[in-house]
């Protein structure tokens, strides 16, 4: 609570005045500019003295104030940890700055601040002190309403918020334990907690779909269309009009078909293939017709603004947050069978070797002849005399032609050396209450691969068109592995008698050649996992560097404009080229764009800076900003989806406490092993303290934990028997214990083992996990989170694009295709309580 009986200017206000004035200011000058009354001057003077003491400002001999030496200041974004401390992630890509708990009391996760280095902590990390808060990132917080000793507080659902929010006023209709959304009316300070008012009651934590309601708000996913967008969608016609057909090629007599999953609702691509002669050789004409979203969504209109903010559709079990309103995504722009639809067509001529000899793009109108499912097409291709084929007899020849061109494209893929990771994908089957009923593996058949290759071909043509006409756009780029990752994977391969060629710059074909060698080996899953983790993440950028995983010199997303904004941008660029014009996005408020970059990209910037590499400086264009924005929102959608899946899995397994399972080690870290339970495909952590009474050393090169006394090893892909020991719904964590032969649970660390870790002499291998022993009761560490996130990013960036090229990675409601009235309280803010 303010100890003064009158308001005094905040530190941010004083710093703002000093920053915007070129001349030095006295206390009287500052008071005049801020409208400070005479009776308030004493309080302002005390604040100036405190700011001088904290190194924010400095006076000269005449009493004129200026900002402190800003050369030593570091600006960046705050990244909080659930245990109260945090880090400043510098804007310039330099090393992170550790922020102790006392500094984190002033801010919330995501705030932008300026800090200065004040020393190092006991672990040798640079430690900072926050000088100024530049921008508050949070206006609303989702949390559980609690009554603690008569004081109403909101305990945030996001573990990165380590302090509770005090409730201003009465909780109204909200009840203790319910999930609510609060609008922050006062941000936290060093001496007082944040204060907020309830603006939305979401319901009880066990309500169906609550995990999704929390996730979309927790990660800032726009989930309600603006009034303007809804009105614009309502004004659209229900079917195409005669004027829409102007300047379009009429393909309504061509039997194009859609091939999607059984529960798909939006169909954004249709395909057709027929044999043709290329000189004296046989070839194929492949048509890929993509929904013409750009016909209905114009630059900067209400629909476009909402689509840009979302950038992608977000897929959850049983629910989709679409990029476009349903009238478009499931209606006008969905290539439903037996209705006319507007499309942008990529018309290709492909040789028997799978080479695209020629292509052209043009707007067209089509009339889908049928809506096929992957299962149905696979059955027809497997038996053209079967019952499935009998139902679709007129279309069977066209499906066979599609299969032929697929075989040709597959041949070219192998010649090109594209990487094809063999991974098991799963999807969640939910019951009527929205909770997991089972998790089952998704089988990829030739129908999936057929569509994927067709989409890849069209995407490559789109990129080639942009390059040929030198038109700016958002390429889908995938950089090669970093030097650090290459060294790690090669050290590992050397131990098992394998070698990755290519020197410092291996190509996708080098990876593909190695993948061919390891097929059939018993350690093939382990080796594939190691190769996958050496890959970087694919992103959007106007600077084309090619796609490493797919081994393409140029690649752009074109085939899914209903659910991906970069595809919509590509459509607009292609139409501009066809009209002899240039499309450049204009009128976009850059302040609304997401500018965050991935952890891996940030680490690479730090590494490049340390190595003395200088990035070529250039003025960023709108295309640069859009590439960063779309990449960031793609990661945001992935994080939200993963959060919901993790919560559902925890909810599913919480009733299986004490049960034993056979599992496969899916990750090895210095603090334990991750185990994926066979049959139910749920992953949990066996903490280092649960591996037995031994001193385990972490071997990063071999990706194993090895017991020093017993010689027991835990390595990637090993089979282990585990028991579910603990489930934390709030933290989305599942903790497991190793079951030793005979059914006994592995004993925890003994005192002698822990003591041994402390007494280890210099020069001996360091057991990095020993530091985690005292935190055994808090297994949700930053290391755990970063390990899981990094692995998921690698899978998304490398496997998703490298295996299916970003094509047809869409989903539906149940699947995703492969791919306090007390006011302020003085003193230390309360830690979050559950």
């Amino acid at each position: 609570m303010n100890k003064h009986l009158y308001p005094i200017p905040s530190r941010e206000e004083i710093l703002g005045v000093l920053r915007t004035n070129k001349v030095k200011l006295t206390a009287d000058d500052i008071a005049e500019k801020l409208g400070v009354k005479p009776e308030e001057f004493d309080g302002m003077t005390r604040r100036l003295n405190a700011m001088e003491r904290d190194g924010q400002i400095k006076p000269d001999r005449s009493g004129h104030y200026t900002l402190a030496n800003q050369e030593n200041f570091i600006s960046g974004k705050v990244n909080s940890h659930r245990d109260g401390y945090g880090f400043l992630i510098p804007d310039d890509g330099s090393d992170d700055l550790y922020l102790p708990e006392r500094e984190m009391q002033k801010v919330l996760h995501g705030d932008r601040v300026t800090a200065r280095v004040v020393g190092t902590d006991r672990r040798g990390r640079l430690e900072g002190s926050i000088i100024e808060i530049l921008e508050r990132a949070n206006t609303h917080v989702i949390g559980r309403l609690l009554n603690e000793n008569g004081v109403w507080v909101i305990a945030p659902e996001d573990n990165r918020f380590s302090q509770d929010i005090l409730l201003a006023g009465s909780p109204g209709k909200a009840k203790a334990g319910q999930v609510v959304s609060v609008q922050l009316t006062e941000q936290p300070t060093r001496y007082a907690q944040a204060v907020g008012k309830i603006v939305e009651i979401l319901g009880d934590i066990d309500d169906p779909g609550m995990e999704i309601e929390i996730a979309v708000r927790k990660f800032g996913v726009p989930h309600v269309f603006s009034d303007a967008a809804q009105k614009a969608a309502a004004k659209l016609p229900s079917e195409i009009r005669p004027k829409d057909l102007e300047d379009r090629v009429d393909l309504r007599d061509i039997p194009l078909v859609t091939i999607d999953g059984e529960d798909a609702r939006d169909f954004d691509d249709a395909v057709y293939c027929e044999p043709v002669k290329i000189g004296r050789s046989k070839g194929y004409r492949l048509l890929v017709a993509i929904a013409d979203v750009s016909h209905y969504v114009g630059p900067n209109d209400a629909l476009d603004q909402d689509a840009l903010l979302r950038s992608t559709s977000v897929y959850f079990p049983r629910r989709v947050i679409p990029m476009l309103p349903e009238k478009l995504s499931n209606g006008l722009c969905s290539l439903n069978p037996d209705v006319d639809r507007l499309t942008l067509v990529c018309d290709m001529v492909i040789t028997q070797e799978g080479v695209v000899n020629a292509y052209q793009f043009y707007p067209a109108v089509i009339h889908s002849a049928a809506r096929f499912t992957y299962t149905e097409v696979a059955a027809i291709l497997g038996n053209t005399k079967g019952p499935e084929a009998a139902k679709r007899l007129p279309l069977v020849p066209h499906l066979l032609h599609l299969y032929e061109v697929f075989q040709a494209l597959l041949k070219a893929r192998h010649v090109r050396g594209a990487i094809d990771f063999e991974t098991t994908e799963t999807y969640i089957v939910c019951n009527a209450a929205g909770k997991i009923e089972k998790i089952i593996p998704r089988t990829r058949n030739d129908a999936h691969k057929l569509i994927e290759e067709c989409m890849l071909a069209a995407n490559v043509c789109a990129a080639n068109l942009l390059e040929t006409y030198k038109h700016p756009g958002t390429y889908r780029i995938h950089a090669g592995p970093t030097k650090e990752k290459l060294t790690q994977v090669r050290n590992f391969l050397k131990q098992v008698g394998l070698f990755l060629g290519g020197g410092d710059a291996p190509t996708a074909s080098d990876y593909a050649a190695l993948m061919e060698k390891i097929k059939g080996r018993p350690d093939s899953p382990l080796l594939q996992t190691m190769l996958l983790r050496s890959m970087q993440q694919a992103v959007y950028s106007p600077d084309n560097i090619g796609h490493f995983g797919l081994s393409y010199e140029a690649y752009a997303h074109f085939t899914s404009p209903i659910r991906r904004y970069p595809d919509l941008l590509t459509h607009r660029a292609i139409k501009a080229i066809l009209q002899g014009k240039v499309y450049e996005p204009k009128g976009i408020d850059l302040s609304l764009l997401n500018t965050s970059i991935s952890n891996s990209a940030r680490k690479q910037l730090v590494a490049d800076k340390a190595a003395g590499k200088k990035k070529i400086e250039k003025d960023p264009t709108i295309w640069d900003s859009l590439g960063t924005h779309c990449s960031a929102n793609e990661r945001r959608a992935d994080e939200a989806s993963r959060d919901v899946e993790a919560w559902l899995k925890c909810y599913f397994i919480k009733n299986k406490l004490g049960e034993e399972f056979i599992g496969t080690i899916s990750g090895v870290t210095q603090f334990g092993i991750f185990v994926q339970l066979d049959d139910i495909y749920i992953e949990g952590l066996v903490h280092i303290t649960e591996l037995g009474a031994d001193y385990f050393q972490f071997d990063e090169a071999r990706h194993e934990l090895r017991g020093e006394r017993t010689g027991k090893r835990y390595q990637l892909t090993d089979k282990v028997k585990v028991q579910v020991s603990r489930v934390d719904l709030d933290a989305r964590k599942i903790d497991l214990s190793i079951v030793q032969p005979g059914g006994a649970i592995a004993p925890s660390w003994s005192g002698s083992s822990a003591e041994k870790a402390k007494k280890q002499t210099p020069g001996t291998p360091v057991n990095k996990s020993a530091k985690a022993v005292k935190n055994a009761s808090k297994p949700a560490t930053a290391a755990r989170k970063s390990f899981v996130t990094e692995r998921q990013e690698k899978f998304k960036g490398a496997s998703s694009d490298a295996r299916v090229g970003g094509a047809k990675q869409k989903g539906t409601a149940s699947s995703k295709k492969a791919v306090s009235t007390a006011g302020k309280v003085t003193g230390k803010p309360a830690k979050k309580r559950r």
Side-chain angles (χ1 to χ4, degrees):
M1 188 174 293
N2 194 339
K3 61 183 179 180
H4 298 285
L5 299 178
Y6 46 81
I8 59 174
S10 67
R11 295 188 179 215
E12 286 74 18
E13 289 173 327
I14 294 172
L15 290 170
V17 167
L18 292 174
R19 188 186 301 106
T20 54
N21 283 271
K22 297 181 180 180
V23 297
K24 298 180 180 180
L25 301 175
T26 64
D28 290 331
D29 296 332
I30 295 172
E32 181 181 351
K33 290 183 178 296
L34 292 175
V36 176
K37 299 177 182 177
E39 63 271 19
E40 301 167 358
F41 188 81
D42 180 60
M44 190 199 75
T45 302
R46 291 176 183 273
R47 176 148 289 172
L48 289 172
N49 292 336
M51 293 173 68
E52 179 188 350
R53 181 187 65 239
D54 292 342
Q56 292 180 292
I57 60 176
K58 59 181 180 180
D60 59 17
R61 292 181 179 179
S62 61
H64 287 77
Y65 289 95
T66 57
L67 294 173
N69 183 12
Q70 295 193 50
E71 292 180 2
N72 298 322
F73 288 1
I74 301 173
S75 296
K77 188 174 291 187
V78 172
N79 195 342
S80 303
H81 187 270
R82 64 175 299 180
D83 289 338
Y85 60 85
F87 294 91
L88 175 67
I89 312 301
D91 294 334
D92 61 3
S94 56
D95 291 338
D96 296 351
L97 197 62
Y98 172 72
L99 298 174
E101 192 171 351
R102 65 178 181 276
E103 292 297 319
M104 292 300 297
Q105 293 169 14
K106 313 172 187 176
V107 292
L108 294 174
H109 175 78
D111 288 348
R112 288 198 71 255
V113 303
T114 295
R116 63 186 175 93
V117 178
V118 294
T120 56
D121 70 348
R122 60 186 179 184
R123 293 174 58 180
R125 299 174 296 191
L126 290 177
E127 183 175 320
S129 174
I130 294 175
I131 299 299
E132 182 182 2
I133 298 168
L134 302 174
E135 182 182 346
R136 294 288 188 176
N138 305 280
T139 58
H140 293 74
V141 175
I142 304 300
R144 206 89 59 88
L145 178 64
L146 303 175
N147 190 311
E148 298 191 343
N149 300 320
V151 178
W152 289 100
V153 298
I154 293 88
E157 282 294 322
D158 192 336
N159 288 323
R160 295 171 298 185
F161 292 84
S162 59
Q163 42 183 292
D164 293 338
I165 312 298
L166 287 172
L167 181 63
S170 166
K173 296 180 180 179
K175 300 176 182 177
Q178 287 189 315
V179 180
V180 298
S181 173
V182 290
Q183 181 180 352
L184 298 182
T185 56
E186 295 183 49
Q187 296 282 348
T189 67
R190 175 174 292 180
Y191 305 105
Q193 291 171 252
V195 178
K197 62 179 181 180
I198 295 175
V199 293
E200 184 180 10
I201 302 171
L202 301 182
D204 295 323
I205 191 66
D206 288 336
D207 287 349
M210 181 55 66
E211 67 281 354
I212 297 176
E213 297 296 336
I214 291 172
V216 295
R217 293 164 176 82
K218 175 178 173 181
F219 292 96
V221 176
H223 58 284
V224 177
F225 286 105
S226 66
D227 290 340
Q230 292 184 49
K231 290 177 181 177
K235 291 180 181 177
L236 291 173
S238 299
E239 53 189 33
I240 64 173
R241 300 158 297 188
K243 67 176 183 178
D244 297 325
L245 303 182
E246 294 176 4
D247 301 321
R248 288 185 179 272
V249 177
D250 193 338
L251 298 180
R252 285 177 287 190
D253 59 334
I254 303 293
L256 288 125
V257 298
T258 62
I259 306 175
D260 295 87
E262 281 78 356
D263 43 15
R265 294 170 58 198
D266 56 329
F267 314 115
D268 47 16
D269 54 80
V271 291
Y272 168 79
C273 181
E274 64 183 15
V276 295
K277 284 286 186 182
I278 305 176
R280 295 183 179 180
S281 302
K282 182 181 178 181
Y284 304 94
R285 181 192 180 196
L286 173 64
L287 272 65
V288 175
I290 305 300
D292 191 358
V293 176
S294 62
H295 180 81
Y296 300 104
V297 181
N300 297 326
D301 67 14
L303 291 168
D304 185 54
Q305 290 174 15
D306 275 34
L308 174 59
L309 287 179
R310 297 179 179 220
S311 300
T312 180
S313 296
V314 187
Y315 298 95
F316 301 108
R318 299 183 74 246
R319 183 178 171 189
V320 177
I321 307 295
M323 186 181 80
L324 296 169
E326 189 171 347
K327 186 167 185 178
L328 284 166
S329 59
N330 295 340
L332 268 177
C333 293
S334 183
L335 307 184
N336 301 322
D338 303 321
V339 292
D340 292 350
R341 287 290 183 259
L342 305 182
T343 61
L344 187 58
V345 173
C346 179
D347 193 337
M348 296 165 275
V349 176
I350 301 174
T351 69
Q352 281 187 300
E353 287 71 40
V355 177
V356 178
N357 247 13
Y359 69 82
Q360 61 177 329
F361 287 88
Y362 50 81
V365 55
I366 73 164
H367 191 93
S368 174
R371 178 264 202 267
F372 282 104
T373 67
Y374 291 125
T375 304
E376 186 181 9
V377 171
I380 293 173
L381 294 176
N383 181 11
T384 55
K385 304 295 184 182
E388 292 85 0
K391 295 176 184 177
R392 307 277 198 170
L393 210 53
L395 296 173
V396 170
H398 302 300
L399 291 180
L400 293 176
H401 295 324
L402 281 168
Y403 186 74
E404 290 174 15
V405 78
F406 155 63
Q407 292 295 323
L409 292 169
L410 201 59
K411 188 189 304 181
R413 180 190 184 99
H414 293 151
V415 171
R416 197 171 71 245
I419 306 172
D420 192 1
F421 288 106
E422 297 176 1
T423 55
T424 300
E425 297 180 11
T426 61
Y427 66 96
I428 294 173
V429 178
C430 293
N431 57 28
K435 302 302 186 289
I436 295 182
E437 193 170 88
K438 56 184 175 180
I439 302 172
I440 57 179
R442 186 188 300 281
T443 302
R444 290 179 67 246
N445 55 41
D446 277 350
H448 288 88
K449 298 174 185 178
L450 183 157
I451 288 297
E452 288 162 6
E453 288 299 328
C454 290
M455 298 304 112
L456 284 173
N459 286 336
V460 170
C461 291
N464 183 266
L465 188 73
L466 294 178
E467 281 220 308
T468 301
Y469 286 87
K470 294 180 172 52
H471 194 292
T474 49
Y475 293 94
R476 181 69 167 178
I477 64 170
H478 185 214
T482 64
K483 188 176 181 180
E484 178 188 11
K485 291 291 185 182
L486 272 178
T487 301
Q488 289 177 0
V489 75
R490 282 189 168 132
N491 287 341
F492 178 80
L493 292 171
K494 189 184 298 182
Q495 297 172 40
V496 293
L498 293 171
F499 175 72
L500 174 65
D504 291 336
T507 63
S509 59
D510 294 316
Y511 271 77
L514 183 56
M515 292 282 291
E516 196 64 33
K517 289 181 182 178
I518 67 177
K519 281 184 179 178
R521 287 179 55 133
D523 58 353
S524 176
L526 168 61
L527 296 170
Q528 181 176 263
T529 299
M530 298 308 303
L531 290 173
L532 178 59
R533 290 184 184 170
S534 70
M535 309 283 280
Q536 294 198 61
Q537 188 178 18
V539 295
Y540 295 106
S541 172
D543 300 321
N544 178 38
I545 62 170
H547 197 294
F548 177 82
L550 293 170
S551 194
Y552 284 135
E553 293 183 0
Y555 185 72
H557 277 170
F558 158 77
T559 54
S560 297
I562 290 178
R563 61 187 180 89
R564 288 189 309 224
Y565 197 79
D567 301 57
L568 178 56
L569 291 173
T570 301
H571 276 232
R572 289 173 179 165
I574 290 174
K575 281 190 173 181
I577 291 172
L578 296 179
Q579 296 168 8
K581 301 177 182 178
V582 175
Y583 167 65
E584 182 178 357
K586 294 181 179 178
I588 296 174
D589 186 351
L590 297 182
S591 66
L592 298 177
L593 300 185
N594 193 338
T595 59
S596 62
I597 61 174
S598 67
N599 287 332
S600 56
R602 190 171 55 80
K603 288 177 182 177
Q604 188 60 41
L605 288 175
V606 173
D608 289 344
K609 186 175 182 180
K613 293 182 181 179
K614 291 186 178 180
K615 186 179 179 181
I616 300 175
E617 295 295 333
K618 66 169 188 175
D619 293 330
T621 66
I622 184 61
W623 291 100
D624 289 292
S625 299
L626 288 172
T628 301
H629 172 78
C630 292
S631 300
N633 285 349
E634 179 186 40
R635 289 192 303 274
R636 179 182 69 185
D638 292 337
E639 289 171 355
S641 297
R642 286 197 297 262
D643 187 75
V644 168
E645 290 188 10
W647 191 94
L648 286 170
K649 290 176 179 179
C650 287
Y651 192 92
F652 175 74
I653 207 169
K654 73 175 184 176
N655 295 324
K656 301 183 185 296
L657 284 172
E659 292 189 25
E660 297 178 0
F661 297 89
I662 300 297
T664 304
I665 296 179
S666 55
V668 182
T669 73
Q670 61 190 20
F671 54 86
I673 58 175
F674 286 91
V675 177
Q676 179 171 281
L677 307 183
D678 295 350
D679 300 326
I680 63 174
Y681 303 97
I682 289 179
E683 190 177 70
L685 172 71
V686 180
H687 196 254
I688 189 81
T689 57
E690 299 293 333
L691 293 179
D694 199 352
Y695 174 56
F696 284 88
Q697 298 186 47
F698 174 53
D699 189 326
E700 188 173 14
R702 289 186 173 88
H703 286 260
E704 71 175 17
L705 285 171
R706 185 173 63 254
E708 188 179 88
R709 179 175 58 81
T710 62
K712 176 66 178 175
R713 300 185 181 200
Y714 294 98
Q715 191 179 44
L716 273 176
T717 72
D718 283 351
K719 291 287 185 180
V720 291
K721 190 174 185 180
V722 295
Q723 183 183 72
V724 181
S725 58
R726 180 173 175 264
V727 177
D728 187 340
L729 274 171
D730 291 332
R732 298 357 181 213
K733 295 191 297 86
I734 300 168
D735 291 322
L736 309 170
S737 300
I738 292 287
V739 177
Q740 302 288 19
I745 301 297
S748 296
W749 275 75
S750 64
S752 60
S753 299
E755 197 63 33
K756 184 175 184 179
K758 293 179 182 178
K759 293 180 179 179
Q760 191 165 15
T761 56
T764 59
V766 176
N767 181 3
K768 298 179 182 178
S769 61
K771 296 178 182 178
V773 174
K774 66 178 182 179
N775 293 323
S777 62
K778 297 187 290 186
T781 62
R784 169 180 178 152
K785 181 177 179 182
S786 63
F787 173 83
V788 175
T789 302
E790 179 185 10
R791 184 175 57 192
Q792 289 164 332
E793 282 187 351
K794 290 296 185 296
F795 178 82
K796 173 66 180 177
S799 179
S800 177
D801 270 340
R803 189 173 60 72
V804 300
K808 300 288 284 183
Q809 299 168 29
K810 64 183 180 182
T812 62
S814 62
S815 67
K816 179 167 60 175
K817 288 186 188 176
V819 145
S820 334
T821 53
K824 285 195 175 182
V825 176
T826 58
K828 181 179 177 181
K831 294 293 289 293
K832 181 167 64 177
R833 293 167 286 277
R834 292 293 180 200

